[in-house]
Amino acid sequence: MSAILSADDLNDFISPGVACIKPIETLPAAPPPDQQQQHQIPSSDLEHEVILDGQPGSPAASAAANAGPAQISLTDCLACSGCVTSAEAVLVSLQSHAEVLSTLDLAPALRIVNANANGGIEVEGLEDSSAKLFVASVSPQTRASLAAVAGRGVVSEREAGNMIARLLCGEEGLRAGGRYGNAFAWVVDTNAAREACLVLGAEEAVSSSAEGGIVNGNGNGNGAGNGRNKPTKPVLTSSCPGWVCYAEKTHPHVLPHISRVKSPQALTGTLLKTVLSHTLGIPPDRIWHLAVMPCFDKKLEASREELTDAMWGGGGKPGKGVRDVDCVITSKEILMLTESRNIDFFGLPKAPMPTSLQIPFPDPTLQRFLFPARPRRSGVDPAAGTSGGNLYYTLKYVSAQHPGSQIETVRGRNADVVEYTVNSAAGEPVFKAARYYGFRNIQNLVRKLKPAKVSRMPGARPVGARKPTGKQAGLEYAYVEVMACPGGCTNGGGQVKVDDPVVMERKGLETKPGPQEQKQWLAQVDEAYFSAEESDIELEIKRGSSAAENGGDMVGSISPAYIRDTLAHWASITGIEVDKLVYTSYREVVSDVGKDKAAGATERVVQLAGKIGGGW
């Protein structure tokens, strides 16, 4: 379990479920010979550790009392809806900085040799079945958090990214203290996948708004994002796993509305696993992908069965395949990595890795996409927010299709609820969207989407959610950006907080900071997220002007045509349909807490015995 996960980090906690039951299944002792013919096994032989309302349960049998603590895996959490908290409330034993170090020291890494942009790539070390190829991806929110820790004006967001790359790849990083000197072959900026997600999400929202969306047969949002399974209006963003987990467990009626587009983390994982496995000729389980994210919820997202090679390499159905993202650590855990290897993170070089030490990506087209000559900017405009800019880009995309249109902004009941309307040149509304951040606001949103209940009384009207008075009756939201954390992703639970010892030490704080200091600290993280060098701004302006002069389709600083061409190329070199690569699905998670199991005690013991090799 991550040693830094605590209740103090939970700013989006709602409440635990009534009961959380984790079975501690133990095989009964071998019966005496004279009892071998006995077929009935008392149900008391299967003990359970029961926690009611967060308190220890009733006294358990002696066997359970002597058993070790239950280990709750990420898959266990996803399979149970006993809790309605975000994933940050779940104490898990996997995906921590310790796992990164232990995996790096497991065996010598696979080595890329004779690599060049034109091909001729070979992989050495395949004879060792434990050897893996290490790749990593880093979010812009993580870079902003670490830049803020370094100090305003000391380290920029881009330089923080260079320092992370030095830690993961460089001679002065993790390689120096490892058993085998292993390091990561590539460190990818998730902004590349983010741009693809923005284009796909905007096209999905516009299409669903125009056609009204189509719900599949079971109405739970399963299926890829192809023309037969578009989300229904309003489309709700899906890049926040805490929100998705909450919807699947407590509000399945909103699943048909959730965007089918993968998150940048998931899309990056799929791209790396598919391309590297196909171009290098190695199975995906020989590729180990680490993602560095601002949120503990991302650990749960990485564990979803919908985000494995079973979806793109098998029959297209969720299953226990090879994960696209093997491990997720947070911004805090980057500092714990350096501490474990006695490395001063803030003493690492701020300059990018020398070109001579960089390994070219196997495919030249994707090399240019993942590692552009000029790094992408995280935040082009503060109006886009700090959560990737899904809503902002969609509004710009719609506005570009209506020349002369204007975007009108109306603040809601608090700073985390904002409504947006794209008005045509004639002043007519053509597209309406909103932003809902934080679980308190999300609960208001899902209540509005709850379908009316059919009354059992003859002739009675259906009862359910009513439209608020004073709202326009003819225009509903077409798109809603939903994030679990108030303030967005720079305020994720895995970010470095102002009361963290490293921040207090670097800032010379003697007393524990309060809420006001945390608010000021978040403003500094946001400032780092939106920071850009003047050369970057000039380049963005130049790119936009050049695209306009040449009749390009640039929306902001992103070309939808370029993104579509890149995705088509990705599909062609892997032989996998684009839909299988970029879209995902969701399912209702039904709680079995307090319910009778389908299998009896005898059958469950037989199943358990079979799993471990035959029983007694």
Side-chain angles (χ1 to χ4, degrees):
M1 137 176 89
S2 173
I4 60 175
L5 185 58
S6 67
D8 294 336
D9 296 316
L10 309 181
N11 61 4
D12 58 351
F13 183 83
I14 300 179
S15 63
V18 174
C20 177
I21 299 178
K22 170 64 183 175
I24 306 178
E25 298 180 324
T26 56
L27 290 173
D34 59 340
Q35 296 183 11
Q36 290 288 344
Q37 301 301 319
Q38 183 176 352
H39 297 289
Q40 296 296 327
I41 300 177
S43 59
S44 60
D45 285 339
L46 293 177
E47 293 84 8
H48 291 75
E49 178 180 317
V50 182
I51 300 175
L52 297 176
D53 293 329
Q55 300 298 323
S58 57
S62 58
N66 296 328
Q71 295 294 315
I72 303 177
S73 70
L74 295 172
T75 303
D76 292 330
C77 179
L78 287 172
C80 168
S81 61
C83 297
V84 292
T85 64
S86 75
E88 293 172 356
V90 182
L91 299 180
V92 294
S93 60
L94 298 177
Q95 300 196 47
S96 67
H97 71 288
E99 185 194 1
V100 176
L101 296 176
S102 62
T103 305
L104 284 172
D105 289 344
L106 187 62
L110 296 177
R111 299 176 300 280
I112 305 296
V113 295
N114 300 328
N116 57 72
N118 298 319
I121 295 179
E122 297 180 4
V123 181
E124 291 184 348
L126 290 171
E127 63 278 1
D128 186 345
S129 60
S130 300
K132 296 181 182 295
L133 179 66
F134 297 100
V135 294
S137 58
V138 182
S139 71
Q141 292 84 3
T142 290
R143 298 193 295 268
S145 182
L146 295 175
V149 176
R152 180 182 296 169
V154 177
V155 174
S156 68
E157 179 256 355
R158 179 191 298 178
E159 290 172 335
N162 294 336
M163 294 163 70
I164 295 174
R166 293 275 191 168
L167 173 67
L168 299 178
C169 299
E171 296 293 339
E172 57 277 275
L174 298 178
R175 183 194 301 271
R179 179 180 179 184
Y180 298 104
N182 290 336
F184 289 78
W186 293 283
V187 177
V188 177
D189 181 1
T190 59
N191 272 331
R194 178 183 68 90
E195 292 188 355
C197 293
L198 294 180
V199 173
L200 292 167
E203 292 176 344
E204 180 186 59
V206 171
S207 176
S208 293
S209 177
E211 301 177 14
I214 302 174
V215 187
N216 59 1
N218 54 22
N220 64 2
N222 287 336
N226 52 40
R228 296 185 300 274
N229 289 289
K230 295 175 184 175
T232 59
K233 179 182 175 180
V235 177
L236 311 178
T237 56
S238 60
S239 56
C240 174
W243 145 244
V244 172
C245 185
Y246 172 68
E248 288 182 324
K249 292 182 176 182
T250 62
H251 298 288
H253 64 273
V254 305
L255 296 185
H257 297 279
I258 296 182
S259 169
R260 309 295 188 264
V261 179
K262 290 181 178 179
S263 71
Q265 170 185 296
L267 194 64
T268 301
T270 305
L271 189 151
L272 292 174
K273 286 290 182 87
T274 55
V275 173
L276 292 177
S277 62
H278 281 80
T279 57
L280 300 180
I282 59 178
D285 61 355
R286 303 297 296 272
I287 303 166
W288 200 80
H289 176 205
L290 168 71
V292 187
M293 292 289 141
C295 181
F296 290 109
D297 293 339
K298 287 294 183 179
K299 298 173 185 275
L300 274 177
E301 178 184 298
S303 301
R304 295 181 65 89
E305 293 183 357
E306 293 85 355
L307 300 177
T308 66
D309 68 338
M311 293 297 295
W312 50 262
K317 299 292 184 182
K320 296 184 181 298
V322 178
R323 294 177 182 174
D324 293 340
V325 180
D326 295 279
C327 180
V328 177
I329 62 173
T330 63
S331 309
K332 288 183 181 181
E333 289 170 297
I334 282 289
L335 299 180
M336 298 181 73
L337 269 179
T338 59
E339 183 180 352
S340 298
R341 288 283 169 90
N342 295 317
I343 300 171
D344 177 14
F345 177 81
F346 302 102
L348 292 170
K350 296 186 287 186
M353 291 279 293
T355 306
S356 60
L357 299 179
Q358 297 177 16
I359 303 175
F361 202 70
D363 182 82
T365 299
L366 294 178
Q367 162 80 22
R368 292 188 293 272
F369 175 66
L370 294 173
F371 307 98
R374 195 71 177 177
R376 294 173 172 85
R377 289 183 59 198
S378 299
V380 177
D381 188 337
T386 60
S387 301
N390 296 279
L391 174 60
Y392 177 82
Y393 186 82
T394 298
L395 292 171
K396 288 291 186 181
Y397 186 90
V398 173
S399 182
Q401 296 179 339
H402 297 82
S405 61
Q406 298 290 329
I407 300 176
E408 177 185 353
T409 303
V410 178
R411 174 172 166 166
R413 60 191 303 174
N414 56 60
D416 285 321
V417 177
V418 184
E419 294 184 350
Y420 302 86
T421 304
V422 178
N423 295 315
S424 66
E428 295 294 327
V430 295
F431 190 85
K432 190 170 183 179
R435 181 182 73 191
Y436 278 74
Y437 286 2
F439 271 119
R440 289 185 180 180
N441 295 319
I442 290 175
Q443 290 179 82
N444 293 330
L445 173 66
V446 297
R447 276 195 290 264
K448 295 177 183 178
L449 295 174
K450 192 171 185 179
K453 294 182 179 179
V454 178
S455 174
R456 296 181 180 180
M457 297 296 293
R461 293 181 178 180
V463 292
R466 293 176 295 179
K467 291 185 179 180
T469 58
K471 298 288 183 179
Q472 290 179 271
L475 183 66
E476 299 176 353
Y477 294 146
Y479 189 79
V480 183
E481 183 176 86
V482 184
M483 297 289 163
C485 292
C489 292
T490 50
N491 191 33
Q495 297 283 75
V496 184
K497 306 298 183 184
V498 70
D499 59 355
D500 191 280
V502 67
V503 178
M504 296 183 66
E505 179 182 351
R506 294 184 65 86
K507 289 184 171 292
L509 301 177
E510 297 181 356
T511 60
K512 185 174 181 179
Q516 185 61 32
E517 287 78 12
Q518 174 61 26
K519 184 176 181 180
Q520 295 171 355
W521 170 251
L522 182 58
Q524 294 182 33
V525 178
D526 290 348
E527 180 183 343
Y529 180 85
F530 292 114
S531 65
E533 299 176 6
E534 291 186 4
S535 57
D536 292 335
I537 299 175
E538 293 174 359
L539 181 63
E540 295 291 347
I541 296 175
K542 184 176 180 180
R543 287 175 61 190
S545 300
S546 176
E549 292 172 0
N550 296 320
D553 68 338
M554 216 72 155
V555 177
S557 60
I558 304 173
S559 167
Y562 170 69
I563 295 297
R564 287 190 288 268
D565 290 344
T566 302
L567 296 179
H569 175 76
W570 175 17
S572 66
I573 65 174
T574 58
I576 304 171
E577 297 177 5
V578 171
D579 283 0
K580 287 186 176 182
L581 296 172
V582 303
Y583 296 112
T584 186
S585 60
Y586 314 97
R587 81 283 189 198
E588 178 182 359
V589 178
V590 180
S591 174
D592 58 5
V593 173
K595 298 179 181 179
D596 293 333
K597 304 293 183 181
T602 303
E603 183 179 348
R604 293 174 62 205
V605 170
V606 171
Q607 292 174 352
L608 182 63
K611 289 180 181 179
I612 64 173
W616 54 89

